[in-house]
Amino acid sequence: MSTPAEGPRRVRVTSPRTSAARRPSTPAGTREIDEQTRLGEVYMHSLIQSQLRLALAVVAGAAVVLGGLPLLFALLPATRKLLILGIPLPWILLVFVVYPVVYVSARIYVRNAERIEAEFTEFVGRK
């Protein structure tokens, strides 16, 4: 028989998942973007603006270099007929200037776009 002074026996109730790994909390910046709040819109707008500035700078640089070739041929008509090792100068410039400029411009764009995105991800993850 139980005595009235003892009272009911106490039982501790725990969740079976207390030892499970907790989900990491989502950084506030990422949450702002996911929920499409005004702050999230500002974050995305800044990323898009940065990438647009980069694209315009790379295109402008390539356009100056590539646009200089027709200008060269217009200002110095003798260069149109100039032969180097039996190959016309415009063809040599096409191979050794145009394609490398396009390739290098693309590499510069990709490298800097990845850098911008990494900085953005780090910034948003800190908030």
Side-chain angles (χ1 to χ4, degrees):
M1 257 205 210
S2 84
T3 61
E6 247 180 65
R9 186 172 159 214
R10 295 185 78 176
V11 177
R12 181 175 176 192
V13 178
T14 61
S15 168
R17 294 191 43 89
T18 54
S19 63
R22 295 179 186 233
R23 279 210 276 165
S25 64
T26 305
T30 305
R31 191 170 39 252
E32 296 289 338
I33 294 170
D34 290 342
E35 294 174 1
Q36 297 180 349
T37 64
R38 179 69 182 129
L39 182 58
E41 288 178 20
V42 171
Y43 286 157
M44 290 307 297
H45 183 72
S46 71
L47 173 64
I48 291 168
Q49 288 291 9
S50 297
Q51 289 179 332
L52 178 62
R53 275 192 302 274
L54 171 63
L56 292 176
V58 170
V59 167
V64 166
V65 173
L66 298 178
L69 291 177
L71 186 62
L72 170 73
F73 298 133
L75 294 177
L76 301 170
T79 58
R80 291 183 220 160
K81 295 183 171 70
L82 183 64
L83 295 176
I84 298 176
L85 299 175
I87 303 170
L89 179 64
W91 284 97
I92 292 175
L93 292 178
L94 180 65
V95 171
F96 293 107
V97 174
V98 174
Y99 290 118
V101 166
V102 170
Y103 177 77
V104 169
S105 297
R107 294 284 300 192
I108 289 170
Y109 176 78
V110 168
R111 184 178 25 238
N112 286 311
E114 288 174 348
R115 180 188 51 80
I116 288 170
E117 289 176 6
E119 289 172 357
F120 177 78
T121 302
E122 181 183 335
F123 173 76
V124 170
R126 280 189 302 197
K127 292 288 174 182

